[in-house]
Amino acid sequence: MSQMPGTAEQDVVDFLTNDHALMVALLETIQETADPKERRDLADTLIAEVMRHAVAEEMHVYPAVEKHVPNGKEEVEHDKKEHDELVDVMKRIEDLDSEDPRFLQEIREMHGMLKHHANDEETDQFPKLRQHIPREELVELREKVEAAMKAAPTRPHPSAPHSELFHKTLGPGVGFIDRLRDKLSGRTTDA
């Protein structure tokens, strides 16, 4: 499901907006899929993608929001709280059998949460980023986000802090271990 690498001119706002759309579409596909194994595989891919996205935002986008956007620190705290809520629901999804009726209930809950979070960023935060950060820096930020997504964890870790320092120092190791676990278990993390 990973989106194609951004073009040389694509900025972080367009890149993350595209990623939001891909994740929401994947959630809709999961809800429409009747085959439990396919539903599980799609959910595992979704969880990996949301984790990569969230970690990359926390590493690079949120520090830019805090630095450049008025009331940025408060906005970031709100976003991190929403990330915590998404991590909790992803952990519940990960722990459920895809044939359990609660599985689709959790998917629907995640769908609503992710749409809300994406809408907040796309209608409020992203325009502010464009207003306060030069385009060249937004393109550089997209490059950093893409690189971070490649090394980010693929599984929810509810006790992990949502901090730039954690993600830059320990996050790549956690991501490596997650990808190793994914490979050994046959877990699908990329469509």
Side-chain angles (χ1 to χ4, degrees):
M1 187 209 115
S2 292
Q3 64 174 295
M4 296 297 294
T7 64
E9 296 303 313
Q10 187 180 40
D11 70 12
V12 71
V13 169
D14 289 335
F15 183 79
L16 292 176
T17 299
N18 289 343
D19 210 35
H20 288 158
L22 291 169
M23 290 184 287
V24 168
L26 188 52
L27 275 158
E28 291 166 359
T29 301
I30 293 167
Q31 292 175 75
E32 296 165 1
T33 301
D35 178 50
K37 177 168 178 3
E38 184 179 351
R39 201 168 34 228
R40 170 88 269 155
D41 289 346
L42 291 169
D44 288 343
T45 297
L46 171 71
I47 289 167
E49 292 301 322
V50 172
M51 287 305 305
R52 289 177 182 127
H53 179 100
V55 166
E57 281 184 334
E58 291 173 11
M59 284 176 71
H60 299 292
V61 178
Y62 292 172
V65 170
E66 287 181 349
K67 181 177 179 182
H68 298 286
V69 172
N71 298 319
K73 187 162 180 61
E74 291 82 14
E75 289 193 30
V76 166
E77 288 307 312
H78 173 78
D79 288 344
K80 286 180 179 180
K81 182 176 180 275
E82 289 183 346
H83 280 187
D84 281 338
E85 292 166 356
L86 282 165
V87 165
D88 289 343
V89 76
M90 287 188 292
K91 187 65 182 155
R92 291 192 305 267
I93 290 167
E94 191 177 59
D95 291 342
L96 285 169
D97 185 288
S98 60
E99 293 186 74
D100 187 320
R102 294 174 297 169
F103 184 87
L104 283 176
Q105 289 172 339
E106 296 291 349
I107 291 290
R108 284 189 290 276
E109 181 177 348
M110 185 175 177
H111 187 219
M113 293 167 67
L114 190 62
K115 282 180 72 170
H116 169 82
H117 182 72
N119 185 59
D120 279 356
E121 288 183 342
E122 291 170 20
T123 61
D124 185 42
Q125 238 173 46
F126 290 173
K128 290 176 185 175
L129 281 174
R130 282 200 170 132
Q131 180 182 1
H132 295 284
I133 300 177
R135 175 152 176 70
E136 306 80 46
E137 288 182 40
L138 292 174
V139 171
E140 289 174 19
L141 195 54
R142 188 252 319 141
E143 293 168 356
K144 290 177 182 178
V145 164
E146 278 188 282
M149 289 173 92
K150 291 177 183 169
T154 61
R155 295 170 180 261
H157 297 278
S159 59
H162 293 288
S163 76
E164 177 186 7
L165 179 63
F166 174 81
H167 292 312
K168 287 183 175 177
T169 57
L170 299 176
V174 173
F176 174 78
I177 291 168
D178 282 355
R179 285 186 298 285
L180 180 61
R181 285 179 61 203
D182 294 343
K183 188 170 187 80
L184 292 173
S185 70
R187 180 176 182 253
T188 304
T189 59
D190 207 13

